[in-house]
Amino acid sequence: MTPEEYERWMIRDCARCGRRASKSAEWSDGPICRTCYDRAMRIRGRCPCCDTDRLLPGRHTDGTPICRDCAGIARDFFCDRCGFEGLLLGGRLCEHCTLADTLARLLDDGTGRIASNFLPLVKILLDMGRPKSRLIWLRNPNVVRLLRGLATGSIPLTHDGLHQETPWRTVTHLRDLLMDSGVLPRVDRQLLLYQRWLTERLATIEDPGHHQLLRHFATWHQMRRLRAKAEKAPLGRSQTNHTKQEVTQAGAFLGWLADRGRAIGQCQQADIDAWHTESLATRRPSQSFLRWCMKTGRMPRLTLPPAVITQDSEPLHQHRRLAILRRVLNDDSLPLRARVAAALVLLYAQPVSRIVRLTIDDVTDDETTVTVRLGEPPSPLPEPVADLMRAYVRSRPQMPCASSRSSQWLFPGRQPGQPMNPVSLQVRLRRIGVPPQRGRTSAIRQLVLQAPAPVIAKALGYHDKTTTRLVTEAGGTWSRYAPAAPSFRRTQ
């Protein structure tokens, strides 16, 4: 077909969007472009004409979606294998059946069947929503190579085996899927990402002495500390980011000291003072490395500059915090997920890094009271926050952001088995007018004036020294507390 013939026969003005483009179908209401065709294949519900629950690709005269029979569309959209009515791909198969065939082909162990080890992975991929996104992912040549290598055994089905593969982003996503499905034992994701980063970072260190020293510091000090934390709770991104800064600044200090003609064992107090004088805030992460060097006898015992305690961001005025909370609770046009997170920030002074780590098991509903485990004992949610939490928990399995329907995170993220990125949650809160840091600071300062600091600390997951300091800053005293337990007042 020549370009002129294609233009004459295939290019039309879409009957739905009006855009001049290549037509994908000729329906009762006219030519349909690819975009409108794909959109129509996603509309499901009860047809207003025949009252049947099915695919609604057609259009009524008033623009209401209707089924193909009522719209007079001659073509049917039933999968030839499973009978599902929806978007059909090659061989008149639906997306779900096409995905199953693609996985069977990629994970064939050479016997014409899926390798038994990967059956849980296949199940979790088929159970996920939006099979089209899985099909697009499986077109990636690196994904194809990794899956075929794992299925045939050319790539060991171990964490160490995947650690050797590239590109790291593709490997990380596949590893998350394998852990989420139980094919690989669960290992802390942030710890694995840090190990990969460390390998790449150390490869850039040219001086052999510096390379060895940094490797010992990372292996015997940082990794041991991170593993101990990971055994208690999943690591957060901020923890590994700080550890990366320590390595980066340690390497910078060794290079800076070498430029002054000294090795680490010859470091003097004047060097320490000069290093921190140039930029104390930026170079403070190197102090962990310096303390380790002094403790292990690799450098003389010298004095490091003390930490400078910075004040928290200016808290919201109490009336402003309550006004924002009232709007969040009453405005049904705001996203439900953001409203629940905002309530936890403004009412219970929870940081977003802790909110995203909550699981479904942390929320308990006995049909009378809803509690959320922020510390000990679990905190009861007042109305209407309790109703918001109930509605959110019910809607959570249908959330499009969740990569796995089996995820136990209260705020599931896009990565398999991982919670929502705290930075993304901060952006969502600011989008609805909630300043996370200032709102949390205002809430915790108000709470420590209503109840003893140790009680608040235990109930909300704070350190008791933090709440005691806040009481002092707020001008509170022990005599201000009422003898009764504190109660959270319902916001009208």
Side-chain angles (χ1 to χ4, degrees):
M1 181 183 296
T2 66
E4 292 79 9
E5 292 173 332
Y6 184 84
E7 174 75 21
R8 186 184 319 120
W9 295 338
M10 300 302 297
I11 303 299
R12 295 288 186 274
D13 292 332
C14 179
R16 298 195 176 181
C17 68
R19 184 169 60 95
R20 188 165 181 79
S22 176
K23 69 174 183 179
S24 290
E26 187 78 34
W27 288 347
S28 56
D29 51 342
I32 308 297
C33 70
R34 168 58 61 181
T35 302
C36 292
Y37 181 86
D38 288 344
R39 185 179 295 119
M41 290 295 103
R42 308 293 176 188
I43 303 176
R44 307 190 69 85
R46 188 166 294 280
C47 178
C49 296
C50 63
D51 200 34
T52 56
D53 192 1
R54 57 184 298 190
L55 183 71
L56 305 177
R59 284 282 185 89
H60 198 269
T61 54
D62 60 359
T64 304
I66 57 178
C67 69
R68 57 171 286 272
D69 294 331
C70 296
I73 299 175
R75 181 184 178 185
D76 75 79
F77 307 103
F78 294 99
C79 175
D80 285 353
R81 179 181 299 171
C82 68
F84 177 78
E85 188 180 22
L87 179 65
L88 300 181
L89 302 178
R92 288 188 53 83
L93 297 180
C94 67
E95 293 175 313
H96 186 273
C97 291
T98 303
L99 177 60
D101 288 351
T102 304
L103 290 172
R105 184 177 67 256
L106 294 178
L107 295 174
D108 184 357
D109 60 0
T111 64
R113 294 176 297 181
I114 297 176
S116 59
N117 290 342
F118 293 94
L119 292 177
L121 174 64
V122 172
K123 183 179 185 304
I124 197 174
L125 288 174
L126 293 177
D127 287 344
M128 287 182 182
R130 297 185 178 182
K132 183 178 180 180
S133 64
R134 302 296 99 193
L135 287 169
I136 294 174
W137 177 65
L138 291 173
R139 295 175 192 165
N140 186 328
N142 290 309
V143 175
V144 173
R145 175 181 57 83
L146 290 169
L147 289 178
R148 286 179 174 170
L150 290 169
T152 58
S154 60
I155 299 177
L157 185 57
T158 62
H159 286 291
D160 290 338
L162 288 174
H163 189 70
Q164 308 301 321
E165 298 298 323
T166 56
W168 71 269
R169 292 184 185 275
T170 304
V171 173
T172 298
H173 184 74
L174 178 57
R175 191 204 303 267
D176 288 340
L177 286 170
L178 293 171
M179 290 192 295
D180 198 33
S181 60
V183 176
L184 280 179
R186 190 169 293 278
V187 179
D188 192 281
R189 182 177 191 265
Q190 295 300 327
L191 186 61
L192 292 173
L193 290 176
Y194 171 72
Q195 288 177 309
R196 177 175 286 276
W197 176 89
L198 180 63
T199 301
E200 296 175 352
R201 181 68 180 85
L202 292 178
T204 64
I205 306 298
E206 298 179 357
D207 187 290
H210 295 177
H211 182 281
Q212 183 180 25
L213 186 58
L214 289 174
R215 183 167 57 83
H216 287 176
F217 168 65
T219 302
W220 302 110
H221 177 69
Q222 290 185 319
M223 289 299 298
R224 183 168 58 181
R225 182 183 60 188
L226 290 176
R227 286 194 180 99
K229 291 182 178 180
E231 290 178 358
K232 298 178 181 178
L235 294 176
R237 188 172 300 184
S238 60
Q239 293 173 298
T240 52
N241 285 344
H242 180 72
T243 306
K244 292 176 183 179
Q245 292 179 10
E246 291 179 348
V247 173
T248 301
Q249 287 300 314
F253 174 76
L254 291 175
W256 178 87
L257 193 62
D259 292 340
R260 294 170 69 96
R262 291 191 179 90
I264 189 69
Q266 302 168 331
C267 184
Q268 300 176 4
Q269 186 64 49
D271 299 319
I272 296 294
D273 296 339
W275 167 256
H276 287 92
T277 298
E278 294 183 14
S279 178
L280 178 60
T282 302
R283 294 179 171 178
R284 181 164 297 283
S286 64
Q287 290 192 0
S288 177
F289 171 72
L290 297 176
R291 292 191 184 94
W292 176 78
C293 288
M294 287 187 281
K295 182 179 180 180
T296 57
R298 288 176 168 83
M299 67 177 287
R301 289 193 171 273
L302 305 172
T303 302
L304 301 177
V308 178
I309 300 177
T310 58
Q311 295 292 329
D312 294 334
S313 59
E314 185 67 23
L316 292 173
H317 191 277
Q318 175 71 353
H319 294 297
R320 176 61 178 160
R321 177 178 70 91
L322 294 178
I324 296 176
L325 178 60
R326 187 178 299 110
R327 179 177 61 83
V328 166
L329 297 179
N330 296 327
D331 189 351
D332 294 334
S333 66
L334 299 177
L336 185 56
R337 177 171 46 172
R339 295 170 69 192
V340 172
L344 295 176
V345 170
L346 297 172
L347 195 59
Y348 291 95
Q350 293 299 297
V352 292
S353 59
R354 193 180 302 161
I355 291 175
V356 298
R357 292 283 168 180
L358 293 173
T359 66
I360 288 296
D361 295 335
D362 290 322
V363 179
T364 303
D365 183 8
D366 61 4
E367 299 183 358
T368 302
T369 304
V370 178
T371 62
V372 57
R373 188 179 298 279
L374 307 173
E376 292 296 338
S379 301
L381 298 181
E383 299 294 349
V385 182
D387 287 339
L388 275 182
M389 182 63 77
R390 289 190 183 100
Y392 174 71
V393 171
R394 286 194 300 267
S395 67
R396 184 182 152 279
Q398 286 75 43
M399 291 175 60
C401 68
S403 59
S404 173
R405 297 183 182 182
S406 62
S407 175
Q408 292 301 303
W409 297 110
L410 186 60
F411 294 87
R414 294 183 180 275
Q415 296 299 324
Q418 298 300 314
M420 186 178 183
N421 189 327
V423 177
S424 299
L425 184 56
Q426 284 183 336
V427 171
R428 293 174 184 270
L429 290 176
R430 293 192 180 100
R431 194 174 294 164
I432 66 172
V434 178
Q437 181 64 29
R438 296 178 62 203
R440 179 174 71 92
T441 303
S442 175
I444 188 62
R445 290 193 174 188
Q446 183 64 28
L447 289 172
V448 295
L449 292 177
Q450 297 177 358
V455 174
I456 294 296
K458 188 175 182 181
L460 301 185
Y462 278 80
H463 196 285
D464 55 358
K465 290 184 179 179
T466 301
T467 52
T468 302
R469 174 175 60 83
L470 290 171
V471 170
T472 304
E473 292 176 357
T477 62
W478 290 97
S479 61
R480 294 171 58 97
Y481 300 132
S487 60
F488 294 102
R489 186 177 303 170
R490 177 177 177 177
T491 303
Q492 300 295 331

mmCIF file of all heavy atoms in Angstrom, residues 465-492:
data_model
loop_
_atom_site.group_PDB
_atom_site.id
_atom_site.type_symbol
_atom_site.label_atom_id
_atom_site.label_comp_id
_atom_site.label_asym_id
_atom_site.label_seq_id
_atom_site.Cartn_x
_atom_site.Cartn_y
_atom_site.Cartn_z
ATOM 1 N N LYS A 465 12.912 11.210 75.037
ATOM 2 C CA LYS A 465 13.737 12.417 75.145
ATOM 3 C C LYS A 465 13.243 13.502 74.196
ATOM 4 O O LYS A 465 13.303 14.697 74.515
ATOM 5 C CB LYS A 465 15.195 12.079 74.837
ATOM 6 C CG LYS A 465 15.872 11.223 75.908
ATOM 7 C CD LYS A 465 17.336 11.017 75.582
ATOM 8 C CE LYS A 465 18.014 10.180 76.678
ATOM 9 N NZ LYS A 465 19.457 9.946 76.384
ATOM 10 N N THR A 466 12.746 13.083 73.035
ATOM 11 C CA THR A 466 12.218 14.054 72.073
ATOM 12 C C THR A 466 10.989 14.753 72.624
ATOM 13 O O THR A 466 10.874 15.991 72.570
ATOM 14 C CB THR A 466 11.864 13.353 70.753
ATOM 15 O OG1 THR A 466 13.030 12.733 70.216
ATOM 16 C CG2 THR A 466 11.317 14.355 69.743
ATOM 17 N N THR A 467 10.056 13.985 73.173
ATOM 18 C CA THR A 467 8.834 14.600 73.698
ATOM 19 C C THR A 467 9.119 15.443 74.934
ATOM 20 O O THR A 467 8.499 16.483 75.138
ATOM 21 C CB THR A 467 7.799 13.515 74.034
ATOM 22 O OG1 THR A 467 8.400 12.521 74.881
ATOM 23 C CG2 THR A 467 7.295 12.836 72.760
ATOM 24 N N THR A 468 10.066 15.022 75.761
ATOM 25 C CA THR A 468 10.433 15.820 76.936
ATOM 26 C C THR A 468 11.027 17.158 76.511
ATOM 27 O O THR A 468 10.736 18.205 77.098
ATOM 28 C CB THR A 468 11.430 15.052 77.817
ATOM 29 O OG1 THR A 468 10.846 13.813 78.215
ATOM 30 C CG2 THR A 468 11.798 15.865 79.047
ATOM 31 N N ARG A 469 11.875 17.134 75.470
ATOM 32 C CA ARG A 469 12.455 18.388 74.962
ATOM 33 C C ARG A 469 11.366 19.298 74.416
ATOM 34 O O ARG A 469 11.408 20.522 74.618
ATOM 35 C CB ARG A 469 13.481 18.078 73.880
ATOM 36 C CG ARG A 469 14.057 19.312 73.182
ATOM 37 C CD ARG A 469 15.158 18.941 72.219
ATOM 38 N NE ARG A 469 14.701 18.048 71.176
ATOM 39 C CZ ARG A 469 14.078 18.449 70.070
ATOM 40 N NH1 ARG A 469 13.828 19.743 69.877
ATOM 41 N NH2 ARG A 469 13.692 17.584 69.145
ATOM 42 N N LEU A 470 10.374 18.730 73.747
ATOM 43 C CA LEU A 470 9.293 19.538 73.189
ATOM 44 C C LEU A 470 8.459 20.182 74.294
ATOM 45 O O LEU A 470 7.977 21.303 74.137
ATOM 46 C CB LEU A 470 8.406 18.670 72.294
ATOM 47 C CG LEU A 470 9.041 18.225 70.974
ATOM 48 C CD1 LEU A 470 8.149 17.204 70.280
ATOM 49 C CD2 LEU A 470 9.281 19.416 70.070
ATOM 50 N N VAL A 471 8.272 19.465 75.407
ATOM 51 C CA VAL A 471 7.544 20.045 76.535
ATOM 52 C C VAL A 471 8.281 21.282 77.041
ATOM 53 O O VAL A 471 7.686 22.332 77.303
ATOM 54 C CB VAL A 471 7.378 19.017 77.664
ATOM 55 C CG1 VAL A 471 6.836 19.695 78.922
ATOM 56 C CG2 VAL A 471 6.436 17.921 77.234
ATOM 57 N N THR A 472 9.590 21.169 77.167
ATOM 58 C CA THR A 472 10.387 22.289 77.658
ATOM 59 C C THR A 472 10.325 23.469 76.697
ATOM 60 O O THR A 472 10.159 24.624 77.111
ATOM 61 C CB THR A 472 11.851 21.853 77.854
ATOM 62 O OG1 THR A 472 11.882 20.727 78.730
ATOM 63 C CG2 THR A 472 12.678 22.986 78.437
ATOM 64 N N GLU A 473 10.444 23.183 75.401
ATOM 65 C CA GLU A 473 10.400 24.255 74.411
ATOM 66 C C GLU A 473 9.041 24.942 74.391
ATOM 67 O O GLU A 473 8.944 26.146 74.146
ATOM 68 C CB GLU A 473 10.713 23.695 73.024
ATOM 69 C CG GLU A 473 12.154 23.217 72.871
ATOM 70 C CD GLU A 473 12.399 22.589 71.513
ATOM 71 O OE1 GLU A 473 11.423 22.487 70.737
ATOM 72 O OE2 GLU A 473 13.553 22.216 71.227
ATOM 73 N N ALA A 474 7.983 24.156 74.638
ATOM 74 C CA ALA A 474 6.631 24.723 74.612
ATOM 75 C C ALA A 474 6.262 25.402 75.920
ATOM 76 O O ALA A 474 5.173 25.972 76.043
ATOM 77 C CB ALA A 474 5.611 23.635 74.288
ATOM 78 N N GLY A 475 7.132 25.321 76.912
ATOM 79 C CA GLY A 475 6.873 25.971 78.185
ATOM 80 C C GLY A 475 5.949 25.198 79.086
ATOM 81 O O GLY A 475 5.355 25.765 79.999
ATOM 82 N N GLY A 476 5.818 23.898 78.857
ATOM 83 C CA GLY A 476 4.930 23.070 79.668
ATOM 84 C C GLY A 476 5.619 22.584 80.925
ATOM 85 O O GLY A 476 6.840 22.509 81.013
ATOM 86 N N THR A 477 4.848 22.237 81.944
ATOM 87 C CA THR A 477 5.352 21.656 83.184
ATOM 88 C C THR A 477 4.470 20.484 83.557
ATOM 89 O O THR A 477 3.353 20.324 83.063
ATOM 90 C CB THR A 477 5.343 22.687 84.334
ATOM 91 O OG1 THR A 477 3.998 23.095 84.577
ATOM 92 C CG2 THR A 477 6.188 23.910 83.981
ATOM 93 N N TRP A 478 4.972 19.644 84.466
ATOM 94 C CA TRP A 478 4.209 18.466 84.889
ATOM 95 C C TRP A 478 2.902 18.858 85.590
ATOM 96 O O TRP A 478 1.927 18.124 85.546
ATOM 97 C CB TRP A 478 5.045 17.615 85.837
ATOM 98 C CG TRP A 478 6.176 16.946 85.147
ATOM 99 C CD1 TRP A 478 7.464 17.363 85.075
ATOM 100 C CD2 TRP A 478 6.122 15.720 84.397
ATOM 101 N NE1 TRP A 478 8.222 16.492 84.332
ATOM 102 C CE2 TRP A 478 7.424 15.468 83.919
ATOM 103 C CE3 TRP A 478 5.100 14.818 84.084
ATOM 104 C CZ2 TRP A 478 7.726 14.356 83.151
ATOM 105 C CZ3 TRP A 478 5.399 13.715 83.323
ATOM 106 C CH2 TRP A 478 6.701 13.486 82.862
ATOM 107 N N SER A 479 2.870 20.031 86.199
ATOM 108 C CA SER A 479 1.665 20.417 86.929
ATOM 109 C C SER A 479 0.503 20.769 86.003
ATOM 110 O O SER A 479 -0.637 20.875 86.442
ATOM 111 C CB SER A 479 1.974 21.633 87.814
ATOM 112 O OG SER A 479 2.389 22.735 87.019
ATOM 113 N N ARG A 480 0.799 20.944 84.694
ATOM 114 C CA ARG A 480 -0.264 21.302 83.753
ATOM 115 C C ARG A 480 -1.153 20.120 83.416
ATOM 116 O O ARG A 480 -2.259 20.286 82.928
ATOM 117 C CB ARG A 480 0.340 21.846 82.449
ATOM 118 C CG ARG A 480 1.077 23.158 82.610
ATOM 119 C CD ARG A 480 1.828 23.491 81.319
ATOM 120 N NE ARG A 480 0.902 23.569 80.199
ATOM 121 C CZ ARG A 480 0.378 24.695 79.729
ATOM 122 N NH1 ARG A 480 0.674 25.833 80.311
ATOM 123 N NH2 ARG A 480 -0.440 24.681 78.687
ATOM 124 N N TYR A 481 -0.667 18.897 83.592
ATOM 125 C CA TYR A 481 -1.403 17.733 83.136
ATOM 126 C C TYR A 481 -2.581 17.427 84.043
ATOM 127 O O TYR A 481 -2.481 17.465 85.261
ATOM 128 C CB TYR A 481 -0.488 16.505 83.083
ATOM 129 C CG TYR A 481 0.681 16.680 82.149
ATOM 130 C CD1 TYR A 481 1.972 16.352 82.563
ATOM 131 C CD2 TYR A 481 0.491 17.176 80.870
ATOM 132 C CE1 TYR A 481 3.045 16.515 81.708
ATOM 133 C CE2 TYR A 481 1.559 17.345 80.011
ATOM 134 C CZ TYR A 481 2.836 17.010 80.441
ATOM 135 O OH TYR A 481 3.895 17.176 79.595
ATOM 136 N N ALA A 482 -3.691 17.093 83.437
ATOM 137 C CA ALA A 482 -4.862 16.654 84.194
ATOM 138 C C ALA A 482 -4.650 15.211 84.635
ATOM 139 O O ALA A 482 -3.927 14.456 83.986
ATOM 140 C CB ALA A 482 -6.118 16.764 83.334
ATOM 141 N N PRO A 483 -5.274 14.780 85.732
ATOM 142 C CA PRO A 483 -5.087 13.402 86.189
ATOM 143 C C PRO A 483 -5.678 12.370 85.256
ATOM 144 O O PRO A 483 -5.277 11.225 85.265
ATOM 145 C CB PRO A 483 -5.787 13.401 87.553
ATOM 146 C CG PRO A 483 -6.786 14.515 87.474
ATOM 147 C CD PRO A 483 -6.143 15.570 86.627
ATOM 148 N N ALA A 484 -6.656 12.727 84.454
ATOM 149 C CA ALA A 484 -7.301 11.759 83.561
ATOM 150 C C ALA A 484 -6.459 11.573 82.308
ATOM 151 O O ALA A 484 -5.642 12.401 81.956
ATOM 152 C CB ALA A 484 -8.706 12.227 83.192
ATOM 153 N N ALA A 485 -6.699 10.454 81.630
ATOM 154 C CA ALA A 485 -5.980 10.174 80.375
ATOM 155 C C ALA A 485 -6.446 11.156 79.305
ATOM 156 O O ALA A 485 -7.581 11.617 79.308
ATOM 157 C CB ALA A 485 -6.247 8.735 79.923
ATOM 158 N N PRO A 486 -5.565 11.486 78.371
ATOM 159 C CA PRO A 486 -5.939 12.456 77.323
ATOM 160 C C PRO A 486 -6.952 11.859 76.359
ATOM 161 O O PRO A 486 -7.018 10.664 76.159
ATOM 162 C CB PRO A 486 -4.608 12.705 76.587
ATOM 163 C CG PRO A 486 -3.839 11.431 76.793
ATOM 164 C CD PRO A 486 -4.208 10.954 78.188
ATOM 165 N N SER A 487 -7.751 12.719 75.804
ATOM 166 C CA SER A 487 -8.731 12.277 74.809
ATOM 167 C C SER A 487 -8.614 13.174 73.597
ATOM 168 O O SER A 487 -8.364 14.366 73.717
ATOM 169 C CB SER A 487 -10.150 12.331 75.362
ATOM 170 O OG SER A 487 -10.482 13.653 75.741
ATOM 171 N N PHE A 488 -8.774 12.607 72.435
ATOM 172 C CA PHE A 488 -8.704 13.375 71.195
ATOM 173 C C PHE A 488 -10.087 13.907 70.884
ATOM 174 O O PHE A 488 -11.058 13.151 70.774
ATOM 175 C CB PHE A 488 -8.208 12.506 70.050
ATOM 176 C CG PHE A 488 -6.790 12.062 70.242
ATOM 177 C CD1 PHE A 488 -6.498 10.773 70.686
ATOM 178 C CD2 PHE A 488 -5.764 12.938 69.994
ATOM 179 C CE1 PHE A 488 -5.199 10.379 70.870
ATOM 180 C CE2 PHE A 488 -4.448 12.536 70.162
ATOM 181 C CZ PHE A 488 -4.161 11.267 70.599
ATOM 182 N N ARG A 489 -10.188 15.234 70.731
ATOM 183 C CA ARG A 489 -11.461 15.878 70.506
ATOM 184 C C ARG A 489 -11.875 15.740 69.056
ATOM 185 O O ARG A 489 -11.085 15.902 68.150
ATOM 186 C CB ARG A 489 -11.363 17.358 70.874
ATOM 187 C CG ARG A 489 -12.678 18.108 70.818
ATOM 188 C CD ARG A 489 -12.459 19.545 71.290
ATOM 189 N NE ARG A 489 -11.904 19.536 72.634
ATOM 190 C CZ ARG A 489 -11.440 20.638 73.226
ATOM 191 N NH1 ARG A 489 -11.475 21.799 72.596
ATOM 192 N NH2 ARG A 489 -10.941 20.563 74.443
ATOM 193 N N ARG A 490 -13.131 15.439 68.858
ATOM 194 C CA ARG A 490 -13.645 15.294 67.493
ATOM 195 C C ARG A 490 -13.668 16.670 66.820
ATOM 196 O O ARG A 490 -14.082 17.658 67.390
ATOM 197 C CB ARG A 490 -15.053 14.701 67.520
ATOM 198 C CG ARG A 490 -15.671 14.604 66.126
ATOM 199 C CD ARG A 490 -17.021 13.951 66.199
ATOM 200 N NE ARG A 490 -17.647 13.924 64.888
ATOM 201 C CZ ARG A 490 -18.809 13.358 64.650
ATOM 202 N NH1 ARG A 490 -19.457 12.764 65.610
ATOM 203 N NH2 ARG A 490 -19.322 13.380 63.436
ATOM 204 N N THR A 491 -13.186 16.666 65.555
ATOM 205 C CA THR A 491 -13.167 17.892 64.759
ATOM 206 C C THR A 491 -14.478 18.021 64.001
ATOM 207 O O THR A 491 -14.843 17.119 63.246
ATOM 208 C CB THR A 491 -11.998 17.880 63.784
ATOM 209 O OG1 THR A 491 -10.797 17.716 64.536
ATOM 210 C CG2 THR A 491 -11.941 19.167 62.985
ATOM 211 N N GLN A 492 -15.141 19.103 64.204
ATOM 212 C CA GLN A 492 -16.408 19.325 63.506
ATOM 213 C C GLN A 492 -16.145 19.945 62.143
ATOM 214 O O GLN A 492 -15.219 20.686 61.980
ATOM 215 C CB GLN A 492 -17.309 20.255 64.335
ATOM 216 C CG GLN A 492 -17.620 19.669 65.698
ATOM 217 C CD GLN A 492 -18.436 18.392 65.628
ATOM 218 O OE1 GLN A 492 -19.203 18.217 64.673
ATOM 219 N NE2 GLN A 492 -18.285 17.499 66.571
#
